[in-house]
Amino acid sequence: MTEAPVAAAKPSTKIAYNLTLSCADRPGIVAAVAGVLAEAGCNIVDSQQYGSPESGRFFMRVAVSTETDYQQLHAKLQPVAESFGMDWGLHREGQKMRTLLMASKSGHCLNHLLFLQRSGTLPIEVPAIVSNHTDLAGLAEFYGIEYHHIPVTPDTKAQAEDRLRALVAEHDVELVVLARYMQVLSNQLCTDLQGRAINIHHSFLPSFKGARPYHQAHARGVKLIGATAHYVTPDLDEGPIIEQEVIRVSHARSAEQFVAMGRDVEARTLSQAVQWHAEHRVLLDGTRTVIFN
């Protein structure tokens, strides 16, 4: 007896998307969204939601798979989004976010992001690196990424920021990451990049804002130091916090040892924040963030 040939499995034509939304909280939001997704032939594989009692806003992230293409699914969701006054986005799962990295002289955060990006564990694409110094040009060359040296002085700050804006537009940049870029951005540039620029500050905010935070912490005799990744806003080191981490220190450590110990914490904290943002897991709730893990 001969066995019947096994039919080859048809390749899947399903596409995975993430839908994120926020709006004023009221009854019927989940039902309306789920109904549209069902009509579009979507299978919901993960759904997370949160209603903020402080702001009165509702937040949701839904992962779906479907054979419906992006334009069709977006068009089907548009009416329900308008009816609830939603801030929303539809994103294809796994699509890498075009990210411009900025650093000054310290390369630990920059190197960590580039390594994770090359290894495939961080869903970003880095078309360019910007620095106000030349110290990290060799690192950019190693990773094969364009390096733009844009010096910044009080007299050239406006022109330097105009060059940065031009690079953002030229490379279709979706996210700007300040990976220990030790220049304060102008209020206008912070406003222009609102919600799409992340900074790493080397302290556990809201403690020790501004310059030399490790030295400030050492002078106060703290027992914990840390790092905070937050969105950039015109108010220095006041932006919505995405991720934080701390490590323990003792009276026997010097301020310089605080600096050395903090490098790994800074790199981990920043890369986690960038990953969550690139995966569309972070939603803004005024001065706070809602993060769906």
Side-chain angles (χ1 to χ4, degrees):
M1 177 182 290
T2 58
E3 294 184 2
V6 178
K10 293 182 179 180
S12 174
T13 58
K14 290 191 174 182
I15 309 168
Y17 297 101
N18 292 317
L19 168 65
T20 58
L21 63 92
S22 66
C23 61
D25 200 357
R26 73 185 214 203
I29 301 170
V30 175
V33 171
V36 172
L37 293 175
E39 290 173 8
C42 295
N43 180 40
I44 296 176
V45 297
D46 183 67
S47 180
Q48 300 179 68
Q49 61 197 60
Y50 172 71
S52 171
E54 288 82 12
S55 66
R57 291 188 67 79
F58 177 81
F59 302 86
M60 190 174 185
R61 182 181 188 271
V62 187
V64 303
S65 64
T66 180
E67 294 184 355
T68 305
D69 68 29
Y70 180 90
Q71 296 298 335
Q72 289 176 315
L73 184 54
H74 192 280
K76 288 179 180 297
L77 287 164
Q78 185 73 44
V80 71
E82 290 178 354
S83 68
F84 284 93
M86 294 176 179
D87 294 324
W88 68 293
L90 181 65
H91 320 279
R92 184 159 182 168
E93 178 77 32
Q95 185 168 334
K96 294 182 178 180
M97 183 169 287
R98 292 184 63 79
T99 303
L100 186 143
L101 303 180
M102 302 181 69
S104 290
K105 293 185 176 183
S106 297
H108 54 286
C109 288
L110 178 64
N111 183 62
H112 193 63
L113 291 169
L114 293 172
F115 174 79
L116 293 177
Q117 180 265 331
R118 174 173 284 189
S119 67
T121 58
L122 193 61
I124 62 172
E125 179 183 356
V126 182
I129 296 168
V130 169
S131 179
N132 55 326
H133 297 281
T134 59
D135 301 56
L136 302 175
L139 185 61
E141 183 179 4
F142 174 79
Y143 283 100
I145 297 174
E146 289 182 17
Y147 189 81
H148 298 270
H149 174 220
I150 305 179
V152 181
T153 68
D155 293 334
T156 64
K157 188 179 184 72
Q159 295 92 321
E161 292 192 345
D162 284 343
R163 285 188 62 191
L164 177 61
R165 288 187 182 90
L167 285 172
V168 167
E170 176 187 343
H171 292 288
D172 195 23
V173 167
E174 302 167 87
L175 175 66
V176 175
V177 179
L178 279 61
R180 291 301 300 272
Y181 180 70
M182 308 308 288
Q183 287 287 321
V184 177
L185 304 184
S186 69
N187 289 353
Q188 185 58 58
L189 184 57
C190 290
T191 300
D192 294 344
L193 296 175
Q194 185 174 6
R196 57 192 184 109
I198 297 174
N199 180 51
I200 184 68
H201 184 67
H202 38 306
S203 80
F204 193 72
L205 292 175
S207 299
F208 311 123
K209 303 171 186 176
R212 294 168 65 85
Y214 288 125
H215 292 76
Q216 295 182 53
H218 186 267
R220 291 293 303 273
V222 303
K223 308 309 177 193
L224 294 170
I225 59 172
T228 303
H230 64 91
Y231 286 112
V232 175
T233 64
D235 296 321
L236 183 65
D237 297 330
E238 293 278 1
I241 292 171
I242 306 169
E243 175 65 330
Q244 294 180 290
E245 187 178 334
V246 295
I247 54 173
R248 183 165 292 278
V249 294
S250 77
H251 63 276
R253 301 288 186 176
S254 67
E256 288 69 27
Q257 287 174 315
F258 280 20
V259 173
M261 293 170 67
R263 291 191 183 108
D264 285 345
V265 180
E266 296 163 29
R268 288 195 303 269
T269 304
L270 180 59
S271 64
Q272 181 64 84
V274 171
Q275 180 166 4
W276 282 337
H277 180 93
E279 292 175 349
H280 307 286
R281 297 183 180 277
V282 187
L283 299 178
L284 287 169
D285 184 16
T287 58
R288 305 173 65 203
T289 57
V290 173
I291 300 175
F292 292 123
N293 296 324

